[in-house]
Amino acid sequence: MNNNNSNELFERAKQSIPGGVNSPVRAFKSVGGTPVFIKSAKGAYLLDEDGNKYIDYINSWGPMILGHAYDPVVKAIQEKALDSTSFGAPTLLEIEMAELIKSMVPNVDLIRMVSSGTEACMSAIRLARGYTGKNKIIKFEGCYHGHADSFLVKAGSGVATLNIQTMPGVTAGVSVDTLTAPYNNLEAVKKLVEENKNEIAAVIIEPVAGNMGCILPQKNYLEGLRKICDEENIIFIFDEVMTGFRLSLGGAQEKLNIDADLVTYGKVIGGGLPVGAFGGRRKIMEHISPLGNVYQAGTLSGNPIAMIAGYTMLTELKNNPGIYKELDEKCSYLKKGLPEVFNKKGIKHRINSLGSMISIHFCDHDITDFETASKADIPLFNKFFHHMLEHGVYLPPSAYESWFLSNALTYENLDETIKAADSFQG
Ligand SMILES: *Cc1c(COP(=O)(O)O)cnc(C)c1O
């Protein structure tokens, strides 16, 4: 594999962009080596600046659920751009987008569009605080909700110690209001709620975690959290930036049959353009400005080009719900095929998956939370990552990320992927 151009571009990028990238994980820092620079993509394939072709399992971290350069989305963007790219004034398309989302997610009465998942989660927390009049939030170790200050409290190793460790640039004053608990541990949350009686505004969770590899909620876990939130007047927020419109039309709420009070979206909702959203029941959402006094705004929110991309993508999904079954089946195919090749070589592993989210941890214990995920063999994953890249398979460059399948993947692509894994010696 020739990487000359990518290597050169990376050196050049570092002269004017911090670390050569505009989002850290792209730099390959955790897996080592030099990132490949992407030139274009179509369907299931990425093409880099050296002419190497890869089967893509990142899909822009989720949005490209129907594959790259999906014709209807590309055409819609091209057409819309002719009518100007931004107005900063209301449009019919924003109403249609909101109505479409509501038709897919029944417990959303009102929805506000923003420009990223970070913005959506940050705004949802502000709303929960404004609505309840309480300050603290509970998040879970290993869950990612974007880079807003409140979410960057470093997850500690246990809940016994109140976690007030801070990140450079995040004040202790902000961090002290973010409490953390291990994922899949209901008792830890009960204890936090007990210790901070009437102080907790919101519990925010990835209903299926995807930012420590893919981790599923255990039986009755989300239901248990739902109950605690109901009893304690806490807003239960599902961060569906990853899972929304990916696990099903109604996201994790529908797939797992559980309702949150507020839901945040990103990734798929923008069809590959910068879009996020947060929504929920009217009685909570009506506290957002200009209806209520919780302020939230955005110059490019509801941008017509972003809206038409998302609207077209969601319409495709809604009109062809069989896509989700096809994705499930493709994911199951990998989940069956990969263990066969690993078992042959005695490579210990666990594969977690749901819908079109899947990840491999190299270890001999179940992966249920951040601690178990971090005890997997990370150096072996990094070696696996580079092996797969060499063999034309582009996996997320971190053991702590879920892979995202697109429906452009063919069974030949899946076979090629399994075959590439088959030549991995461990
Ligand atoms: C990606 C992600 C975010 C952040 O979204 P951005 O668009 O990158 O700001 C938030 N929550 C979850 C669960 C995510 O996966």
Side-chain angles (χ1 to χ4, degrees):
M1 198 173 90
N2 177 0
N3 273 343
N4 294 343
N5 291 346
S6 278
N7 291 343
E8 222 169 86
L9 288 170
F10 192 44
E11 288 312 310
R12 183 170 152 199
K14 283 189 282 190
Q15 304 306 312
S16 38
I17 303 172
V21 291
N22 280 316
S23 195
V25 80
R26 295 179 196 167
F28 278 22
K29 210 167 167 185
S30 56
V31 289
T34 304
V36 292
F37 279 67
I38 303 302
K39 185 169 187 171
S40 66
K42 181 72 188 168
Y45 293 101
L46 292 171
L47 203 68
D48 74 11
E49 291 281 359
D50 288 283
N52 301 305
K53 199 171 163 188
Y54 309 91
I55 301 171
D56 188 11
Y57 284 96
I58 302 184
N59 284 294
S60 185
W61 304 96
M64 316 317 282
I65 190 168
L66 299 175
H68 288 280
Y70 188 70
D71 282 334
V73 174
V74 173
K75 286 208 177 80
I77 292 170
Q78 286 173 329
E79 218 168 89
K80 202 75 188 163
L82 297 172
D83 295 336
S84 183
T85 54
S86 185
F87 312 114
T91 58
L92 166 62
L93 182 55
E94 290 167 270
I95 308 173
E96 290 171 336
M97 181 69 165
E99 288 172 350
L100 178 61
I101 295 166
K102 283 174 60 172
S103 74
M104 297 166 89
V105 192
N107 66 337
V108 165
D109 299 328
L110 293 174
I111 183 138
R112 171 64 59 84
M113 305 307 299
V114 295
S115 301
S116 70
T118 295
E119 242 188 295
C121 295
M122 181 186 89
S123 307
I125 287 292
R126 184 182 306 139
L127 174 57
R129 285 174 167 154
Y131 176 76
T132 60
K134 299 186 280 186
N135 289 341
K136 294 184 180 173
I137 61 166
I138 295 177
K139 75 174 279 287
F140 299 89
E141 292 166 18
C143 280
Y144 181 66
H145 306 294
H147 64 93
D149 287 2
S150 312
F151 303 124
L152 289 184
V153 174
K154 200 175 169 204
S157 59
V159 80
T161 322
L162 184 67
N163 192 337
I164 51 166
Q165 271 181 290
T166 57
M167 282 241 159
V170 178
T171 67
V174 168
S175 304
V176 80
D177 285 330
T178 302
L179 312 174
T180 62
Y183 202 80
N184 274 325
N185 183 337
L186 207 51
E187 289 309 311
V189 175
K190 281 187 188 153
K191 190 156 171 282
L192 279 180
V193 170
E194 209 48 53
E195 288 167 357
N196 297 273
K197 203 81 184 156
N198 298 321
E199 288 184 275
I200 304 196
V203 169
I204 184 166
I205 191 164
E206 290 178 59
V208 174
N211 285 293
M212 42 184 162
C214 178
I215 295 183
L216 274 54
Q218 286 169 345
K219 200 168 181 303
N220 295 327
Y221 174 59
L222 295 174
E223 289 78 0
L225 292 177
R226 176 71 273 178
K227 188 159 170 280
I228 294 172
C229 289
D230 286 339
E231 288 167 357
E232 302 286 335
N233 185 30
I234 295 169
I235 304 297
F236 195 22
I237 305 173
F238 271 14
D239 178 350
E240 295 229 43
V241 170
M242 233 176 220
T243 53
F245 312 103
R246 172 163 285 279
L247 292 183
S248 72
L249 289 178
Q253 290 197 108
E254 179 186 326
K255 184 95 174 172
L256 306 173
N257 191 25
I258 177 162
D259 276 6
D261 298 313
L262 289 177
V263 196
T264 63
Y265 295 108
K267 302 195 166 108
V268 175
I269 202 173
L273 268 77
V275 182
F278 63 103
R281 284 290 177 217
R282 176 175 293 275
K283 70 168 185 184
I284 304 172
M285 287 299 292
E286 69 189 7
H287 288 256
I288 277 287
S289 53
L291 267 186
N293 55 13
V294 178
Y295 195 69
Q296 190 280 325
T299 301
L300 292 176
S301 294
N303 171 271
I305 310 302
M307 289 302 99
I308 200 64
Y311 182 83
T312 309
M313 175 80 87
L314 296 191
T315 302
E316 289 288 312
L317 294 169
K318 190 180 171 187
N319 292 345
N320 304 284
I323 287 167
Y324 292 104
K325 189 158 171 276
E326 289 170 29
L327 279 166
D328 272 20
E329 285 167 2
K330 288 175 187 178
C331 199
S332 301
Y333 191 81
L334 274 186
K335 198 178 180 176
K336 186 169 166 287
L338 289 171
E340 284 170 8
V341 303
F342 292 139
N343 288 339
K344 262 196 320 205
K345 299 191 189 64
I347 299 172
K348 301 263 188 293
H349 64 278
R350 286 291 188 283
I351 299 186
N352 287 348
S353 82
L354 188 68
S356 53
M357 292 167 63
I358 182 168
S359 65
I360 298 181
H361 293 88
F362 293 112
C363 60
D364 201 13
H365 57 263
D366 290 343
I367 304 293
T368 56
D369 57 13
F370 185 74
E371 194 182 338
T372 46
S374 57
K375 282 185 180 147
D377 191 338
I378 309 284
L380 188 60
F381 177 88
N382 295 346
K383 212 170 140 195
F384 179 65
F385 166 82
H386 281 292
H387 171 88
M388 295 301 276
L389 192 68
E390 264 314 301
H391 290 78
V393 179
Y394 194 80
L395 302 177
S398 162
Y400 293 112
E401 302 282 0
S402 175
W403 315 0
F404 300 101
L405 273 58
S406 86
N407 209 33
L409 285 165
T410 62
Y411 281 88
E412 287 82 73
N413 293 148
L414 301 175
D415 283 333
E416 282 172 65
T417 305
I418 295 164
K419 191 162 163 249
D422 196 20
S423 59
F424 180 58
Q425 293 309 324

PDB file of all heavy atoms in Angstrom, residues 291-315:
ATOM      1  N   LEU A 291     -40.375  30.636  23.028  1.00  0.00           N
ATOM      2  CA  LEU A 291     -41.580  30.299  23.807  1.00  0.00           C
ATOM      3  C   LEU A 291     -41.340  30.527  25.288  1.00  0.00           C
ATOM      4  O   LEU A 291     -42.178  31.082  25.986  1.00  0.00           O
ATOM      5  CB  LEU A 291     -41.934  28.825  23.599  1.00  0.00           C
ATOM      6  CG  LEU A 291     -42.909  28.422  22.516  1.00  0.00           C
ATOM      7  CD1 LEU A 291     -43.181  26.934  22.624  1.00  0.00           C
ATOM      8  CD2 LEU A 291     -44.207  29.210  22.661  1.00  0.00           C
ATOM      9  N   GLY A 292     -40.182  30.052  25.751  1.00  0.00           N
ATOM     10  CA  GLY A 292     -39.860  30.160  27.175  1.00  0.00           C
ATOM     11  C   GLY A 292     -38.587  30.954  27.368  1.00  0.00           C
ATOM     12  O   GLY A 292     -38.107  31.602  26.433  1.00  0.00           O
ATOM     13  N   ASN A 293     -38.016  30.875  28.561  1.00  0.00           N
ATOM     14  CA  ASN A 293     -36.852  31.734  28.826  1.00  0.00           C
ATOM     15  C   ASN A 293     -35.525  30.987  28.901  1.00  0.00           C
ATOM     16  O   ASN A 293     -34.529  31.534  29.342  1.00  0.00           O
ATOM     17  CB  ASN A 293     -37.094  32.588  30.080  1.00  0.00           C
ATOM     18  CG  ASN A 293     -37.457  31.715  31.270  1.00  0.00           C
ATOM     19  OD1 ASN A 293     -37.290  30.493  31.211  1.00  0.00           O
ATOM     20  ND2 ASN A 293     -37.934  32.322  32.345  1.00  0.00           N
ATOM     21  N   VAL A 294     -35.498  29.712  28.469  1.00  0.00           N
ATOM     22  CA  VAL A 294     -34.197  29.031  28.356  1.00  0.00           C
ATOM     23  C   VAL A 294     -33.643  29.380  26.975  1.00  0.00           C
ATOM     24  O   VAL A 294     -34.210  28.973  25.961  1.00  0.00           O
ATOM     25  CB  VAL A 294     -34.332  27.504  28.512  1.00  0.00           C
ATOM     26  CG1 VAL A 294     -32.975  26.828  28.342  1.00  0.00           C
ATOM     27  CG2 VAL A 294     -34.956  27.148  29.852  1.00  0.00           C
ATOM     28  N   TYR A 295     -32.540  30.128  26.953  1.00  0.00           N
ATOM     29  CA  TYR A 295     -32.064  30.650  25.669  1.00  0.00           C
ATOM     30  C   TYR A 295     -31.287  29.615  24.864  1.00  0.00           C
ATOM     31  O   TYR A 295     -30.519  28.835  25.396  1.00  0.00           O
ATOM     32  CB  TYR A 295     -31.191  31.901  25.871  1.00  0.00           C
ATOM     33  CG  TYR A 295     -31.009  32.634  24.556  1.00  0.00           C
ATOM     34  CD1 TYR A 295     -32.082  33.289  23.968  1.00  0.00           C
ATOM     35  CD2 TYR A 295     -29.790  32.618  23.888  1.00  0.00           C
ATOM     36  CE1 TYR A 295     -31.951  33.915  22.739  1.00  0.00           C
ATOM     37  CE2 TYR A 295     -29.644  33.252  22.651  1.00  0.00           C
ATOM     38  CZ  TYR A 295     -30.725  33.898  22.092  1.00  0.00           C
ATOM     39  OH  TYR A 295     -30.590  34.510  20.874  1.00  0.00           O
ATOM     40  N   GLN A 296     -31.526  29.639  23.577  1.00  0.00           N
ATOM     41  CA  GLN A 296     -30.830  28.740  22.645  1.00  0.00           C
ATOM     42  C   GLN A 296     -31.041  29.315  21.261  1.00  0.00           C
ATOM     43  O   GLN A 296     -32.148  29.748  20.940  1.00  0.00           O
ATOM     44  CB  GLN A 296     -31.424  27.330  22.756  1.00  0.00           C
ATOM     45  CG  GLN A 296     -30.638  26.245  22.033  1.00  0.00           C
ATOM     46  CD  GLN A 296     -30.929  26.218  20.545  1.00  0.00           C
ATOM     47  OE1 GLN A 296     -32.042  26.474  20.118  1.00  0.00           O
ATOM     48  NE2 GLN A 296     -29.914  25.925  19.768  1.00  0.00           N
ATOM     49  N   ALA A 297     -29.975  29.378  20.458  1.00  0.00           N
ATOM     50  CA  ALA A 297     -30.073  30.021  19.151  1.00  0.00           C
ATOM     51  C   ALA A 297     -28.983  29.518  18.213  1.00  0.00           C
ATOM     52  O   ALA A 297     -28.063  28.818  18.637  1.00  0.00           O
ATOM     53  CB  ALA A 297     -29.945  31.535  19.322  1.00  0.00           C
ATOM     54  N   GLY A 298     -29.063  29.881  16.941  1.00  0.00           N
ATOM     55  CA  GLY A 298     -28.016  29.498  15.996  1.00  0.00           C
ATOM     56  C   GLY A 298     -28.184  30.167  14.641  1.00  0.00           C
ATOM     57  O   GLY A 298     -29.242  30.038  14.016  1.00  0.00           O
ATOM     58  N   THR A 299     -27.171  30.889  14.197  1.00  0.00           N
ATOM     59  CA  THR A 299     -27.222  31.587  12.912  1.00  0.00           C
ATOM     60  C   THR A 299     -27.544  30.631  11.768  1.00  0.00           C
ATOM     61  O   THR A 299     -28.335  30.933  10.881  1.00  0.00           O
ATOM     62  CB  THR A 299     -25.872  32.282  12.637  1.00  0.00           C
ATOM     63  OG1 THR A 299     -25.620  33.186  13.698  1.00  0.00           O
ATOM     64  CG2 THR A 299     -25.890  33.038  11.308  1.00  0.00           C
ATOM     65  N   LEU A 300     -26.914  29.448  11.786  1.00  0.00           N
ATOM     66  CA  LEU A 300     -27.095  28.511  10.675  1.00  0.00           C
ATOM     67  C   LEU A 300     -28.037  27.355  11.026  1.00  0.00           C
ATOM     68  O   LEU A 300     -28.136  26.382  10.281  1.00  0.00           O
ATOM     69  CB  LEU A 300     -25.731  27.985  10.221  1.00  0.00           C
ATOM     70  CG  LEU A 300     -24.831  29.047   9.568  1.00  0.00           C
ATOM     71  CD1 LEU A 300     -23.467  28.476   9.239  1.00  0.00           C
ATOM     72  CD2 LEU A 300     -25.464  29.622   8.300  1.00  0.00           C
ATOM     73  N   SER A 301     -28.729  27.447  12.169  1.00  0.00           N
ATOM     74  CA  SER A 301     -29.673  26.387  12.544  1.00  0.00           C
ATOM     75  C   SER A 301     -30.789  26.292  11.513  1.00  0.00           C
ATOM     76  O   SER A 301     -31.359  27.308  11.121  1.00  0.00           O
ATOM     77  CB  SER A 301     -30.286  26.691  13.914  1.00  0.00           C
ATOM     78  OG  SER A 301     -29.302  26.633  14.915  1.00  0.00           O
ATOM     79  N   GLY A 302     -31.089  25.078  11.090  1.00  0.00           N
ATOM     80  CA  GLY A 302     -32.136  24.880  10.092  1.00  0.00           C
ATOM     81  C   GLY A 302     -31.690  25.302   8.707  1.00  0.00           C
ATOM     82  O   GLY A 302     -32.518  25.512   7.813  1.00  0.00           O
ATOM     83  N   ASN A 303     -30.398  25.389   8.508  1.00  0.00           N
ATOM     84  CA  ASN A 303     -29.832  25.784   7.207  1.00  0.00           C
ATOM     85  C   ASN A 303     -30.433  24.957   6.067  1.00  0.00           C
ATOM     86  O   ASN A 303     -30.520  23.729   6.165  1.00  0.00           O
ATOM     87  CB  ASN A 303     -28.306  25.584   7.265  1.00  0.00           C
ATOM     88  CG  ASN A 303     -27.675  25.758   5.914  1.00  0.00           C
ATOM     89  OD1 ASN A 303     -27.564  24.810   5.150  1.00  0.00           O
ATOM     90  ND2 ASN A 303     -27.304  26.970   5.601  1.00  0.00           N
ATOM     91  N   PRO A 304     -30.856  25.621   4.995  1.00  0.00           N
ATOM     92  CA  PRO A 304     -31.592  24.899   3.945  1.00  0.00           C
ATOM     93  C   PRO A 304     -30.824  23.727   3.306  1.00  0.00           C
ATOM     94  O   PRO A 304     -31.432  22.704   2.991  1.00  0.00           O
ATOM     95  CB  PRO A 304     -31.901  25.980   2.908  1.00  0.00           C
ATOM     96  CG  PRO A 304     -31.060  27.164   3.266  1.00  0.00           C
ATOM     97  CD  PRO A 304     -30.780  27.064   4.720  1.00  0.00           C
ATOM     98  N   ILE A 305     -29.526  23.886   3.118  1.00  0.00           N
ATOM     99  CA  ILE A 305     -28.763  22.797   2.489  1.00  0.00           C
ATOM    100  C   ILE A 305     -28.666  21.606   3.448  1.00  0.00           C
ATOM    101  O   ILE A 305     -28.846  20.449   3.060  1.00  0.00           O
ATOM    102  CB  ILE A 305     -27.345  23.268   2.080  1.00  0.00           C
ATOM    103  CG1 ILE A 305     -27.403  24.574   1.290  1.00  0.00           C
ATOM    104  CG2 ILE A 305     -26.625  22.181   1.292  1.00  0.00           C
ATOM    105  CD1 ILE A 305     -28.246  24.515   0.039  1.00  0.00           C
ATOM    106  N   ALA A 306     -28.409  21.922   4.714  1.00  0.00           N
ATOM    107  CA  ALA A 306     -28.338  20.867   5.725  1.00  0.00           C
ATOM    108  C   ALA A 306     -29.697  20.180   5.869  1.00  0.00           C
ATOM    109  O   ALA A 306     -29.785  18.950   5.968  1.00  0.00           O
ATOM    110  CB  ALA A 306     -27.882  21.459   7.056  1.00  0.00           C
ATOM    111  N   MET A 307     -30.758  20.978   5.858  1.00  0.00           N
ATOM    112  CA  MET A 307     -32.105  20.418   6.023  1.00  0.00           C
ATOM    113  C   MET A 307     -32.486  19.508   4.847  1.00  0.00           C
ATOM    114  O   MET A 307     -33.068  18.438   5.051  1.00  0.00           O
ATOM    115  CB  MET A 307     -33.152  21.527   6.148  1.00  0.00           C
ATOM    116  CG  MET A 307     -33.123  22.309   7.447  1.00  0.00           C
ATOM    117  SD  MET A 307     -33.345  21.321   8.941  1.00  0.00           S
ATOM    118  CE  MET A 307     -31.662  21.126   9.477  1.00  0.00           C
ATOM    119  N   ILE A 308     -32.141  19.918   3.640  1.00  0.00           N
ATOM    120  CA  ILE A 308     -32.571  19.103   2.498  1.00  0.00           C
ATOM    121  C   ILE A 308     -31.799  17.787   2.475  1.00  0.00           C
ATOM    122  O   ILE A 308     -32.349  16.740   2.099  1.00  0.00           O
ATOM    123  CB  ILE A 308     -32.464  19.864   1.142  1.00  0.00           C
ATOM    124  CG1 ILE A 308     -33.357  19.197   0.076  1.00  0.00           C
ATOM    125  CG2 ILE A 308     -31.063  19.931   0.617  1.00  0.00           C
ATOM    126  CD1 ILE A 308     -34.832  19.247   0.375  1.00  0.00           C
ATOM    127  N   ALA A 309     -30.546  17.820   2.923  1.00  0.00           N
ATOM    128  CA  ALA A 309     -29.771  16.575   2.988  1.00  0.00           C
ATOM    129  C   ALA A 309     -30.402  15.627   4.001  1.00  0.00           C
ATOM    130  O   ALA A 309     -30.659  14.455   3.710  1.00  0.00           O
ATOM    131  CB  ALA A 309     -28.320  16.871   3.370  1.00  0.00           C
ATOM    132  N   GLY A 310     -30.683  16.154   5.204  1.00  0.00           N
ATOM    133  CA  GLY A 310     -31.286  15.329   6.243  1.00  0.00           C
ATOM    134  C   GLY A 310     -32.681  14.870   5.857  1.00  0.00           C
ATOM    135  O   GLY A 310     -33.037  13.694   6.024  1.00  0.00           O
ATOM    136  N   TYR A 311     -33.452  15.795   5.320  1.00  0.00           N
ATOM    137  CA  TYR A 311     -34.830  15.478   4.953  1.00  0.00           C
ATOM    138  C   TYR A 311     -34.868  14.364   3.903  1.00  0.00           C
ATOM    139  O   TYR A 311     -35.668  13.428   3.987  1.00  0.00           O
ATOM    140  CB  TYR A 311     -35.522  16.742   4.416  1.00  0.00           C
ATOM    141  CG  TYR A 311     -36.972  16.524   4.057  1.00  0.00           C
ATOM    142  CD1 TYR A 311     -37.959  16.587   5.043  1.00  0.00           C
ATOM    143  CD2 TYR A 311     -37.350  16.229   2.749  1.00  0.00           C
ATOM    144  CE1 TYR A 311     -39.291  16.379   4.725  1.00  0.00           C
ATOM    145  CE2 TYR A 311     -38.676  16.018   2.420  1.00  0.00           C
ATOM    146  CZ  TYR A 311     -39.641  16.090   3.413  1.00  0.00           C
ATOM    147  OH  TYR A 311     -40.951  15.870   3.086  1.00  0.00           O
ATOM    148  N   THR A 312     -33.985  14.456   2.939  1.00  0.00           N
ATOM    149  CA  THR A 312     -33.958  13.455   1.873  1.00  0.00           C
ATOM    150  C   THR A 312     -33.522  12.093   2.419  1.00  0.00           C
ATOM    151  O   THR A 312     -34.110  11.053   2.104  1.00  0.00           O
ATOM    152  CB  THR A 312     -33.009  13.912   0.739  1.00  0.00           C
ATOM    153  OG1 THR A 312     -33.370  15.244   0.358  1.00  0.00           O
ATOM    154  CG2 THR A 312     -33.099  13.005  -0.456  1.00  0.00           C
ATOM    155  N   MET A 313     -32.519  12.120   3.261  1.00  0.00           N
ATOM    156  CA  MET A 313     -32.032  10.869   3.868  1.00  0.00           C
ATOM    157  C   MET A 313     -33.128  10.212   4.719  1.00  0.00           C
ATOM    158  O   MET A 313     -33.414   9.027   4.587  1.00  0.00           O
ATOM    159  CB  MET A 313     -30.817  11.195   4.751  1.00  0.00           C
ATOM    160  CG  MET A 313     -30.278  10.039   5.526  1.00  0.00           C
ATOM    161  SD  MET A 313     -29.242   8.977   4.519  1.00  0.00           S
ATOM    162  CE  MET A 313     -27.688   9.807   4.707  1.00  0.00           C
ATOM    163  N   LEU A 314     -33.757  10.993   5.598  1.00  0.00           N
ATOM    164  CA  LEU A 314     -34.788  10.431   6.474  1.00  0.00           C
ATOM    165  C   LEU A 314     -35.982   9.934   5.661  1.00  0.00           C
ATOM    166  O   LEU A 314     -36.599   8.915   5.992  1.00  0.00           O
ATOM    167  CB  LEU A 314     -35.247  11.459   7.515  1.00  0.00           C
ATOM    168  CG  LEU A 314     -34.208  11.948   8.532  1.00  0.00           C
ATOM    169  CD1 LEU A 314     -34.887  12.738   9.642  1.00  0.00           C
ATOM    170  CD2 LEU A 314     -33.385  10.826   9.129  1.00  0.00           C
ATOM    171  N   THR A 315     -36.303  10.649   4.579  1.00  0.00           N
ATOM    172  CA  THR A 315     -37.416  10.215   3.730  1.00  0.00           C
ATOM    173  C   THR A 315     -37.107   8.862   3.089  1.00  0.00           C
ATOM    174  O   THR A 315     -37.976   7.972   3.038  1.00  0.00           O
ATOM    175  CB  THR A 315     -37.693  11.269   2.635  1.00  0.00           C
ATOM    176  OG1 THR A 315     -37.973  12.512   3.280  1.00  0.00           O
ATOM    177  CG2 THR A 315     -38.887  10.892   1.782  1.00  0.00           C
TER     178      THR A 315
END
